[in-house]
Amino acid sequence: MLGRLNHVAIAVPDLEAAIAQYRDVLGANVGIPQDEPDHGVTVVFIELPNTKIELLYPLGADSPINGFLEKNPSGSIHHLCYEVDDILASRDHLVEKGARILGNSEPKIGAHGKPVLFLHPKDFNGTLIELEQL
Ligand code: CO
């Protein structure tokens, strides 16, 4: 079911500082910040040869990232995103196996304009997993 690792997301407390660090210290190819009001985040993608890093920064007072940054004030890995061919078939398979889908279990459009779902971190070794259909 699982395809490639699409990205690793890191929640950051200071987006400009994180962009400058990846660009100037690590020498990475850093994209332009995009606001994602449906998800309550501003995202920046960093292209690596084999995958991407997604910097996440809160957008608005209700952002789901706010609580995470309160618990992790210097920032931390927030989720892993795996690619799947068929997100609805993957969801149905996971539900049948007892995994919990966050939200109403219907895919949302994610930061790449593709359907995504998030899986409950307690079901996956404490790791929040995003599935994205390419
Ligand atoms: Co993501």
Side-chain angles (χ1 to χ4, degrees):
M1 186 184 97
L2 283 191
R4 299 190 324 153
L5 175 67
N6 185 274
H7 59 268
V8 176
I10 304 174
V12 302
D14 182 336
L15 188 59
E16 288 311 313
I19 288 171
Q21 182 182 57
Y22 269 86
R23 187 188 55 217
D24 303 333
V25 179
L26 294 172
N29 181 11
V30 180
I32 308 289
Q34 303 166 244
D35 288 346
E36 301 288 339
D38 288 354
H39 298 272
V41 290
T42 299
V43 301
V44 176
F45 281 99
I46 298 167
E47 293 284 344
L48 302 182
N50 62 339
T51 190
K52 294 186 278 283
I53 303 297
E54 177 183 71
L55 301 180
L56 290 176
Y57 184 75
L59 178 66
D62 301 333
S63 172
I65 305 299
N66 285 329
F68 186 83
L69 283 172
E70 272 166 34
K71 286 185 219 135
N72 302 278
S74 33
S76 187
I77 292 178
H78 184 266
H79 65 266
L80 302 179
C81 177
Y82 300 120
E83 297 174 1
V84 295
D85 288 332
D86 183 333
I87 201 160
L88 294 177
S90 299
R91 175 197 63 191
D92 294 347
H93 169 79
L94 287 161
V95 168
E96 191 190 306
K97 295 290 181 188
R100 288 168 288 176
I101 313 294
L102 296 187
N104 65 1
S105 295
E106 291 305 320
K108 273 182 151 186
I109 297 303
H112 306 102
K114 305 283 182 7
V116 302
L117 285 174
F118 286 90
L119 311 182
H120 201 299
K122 290 206 169 125
D123 295 340
F124 293 94
N125 311 291
T127 306
L128 178 59
I129 293 177
E130 179 180 20
L131 299 180
E132 180 175 293
Q133 177 178 298
L134 285 202

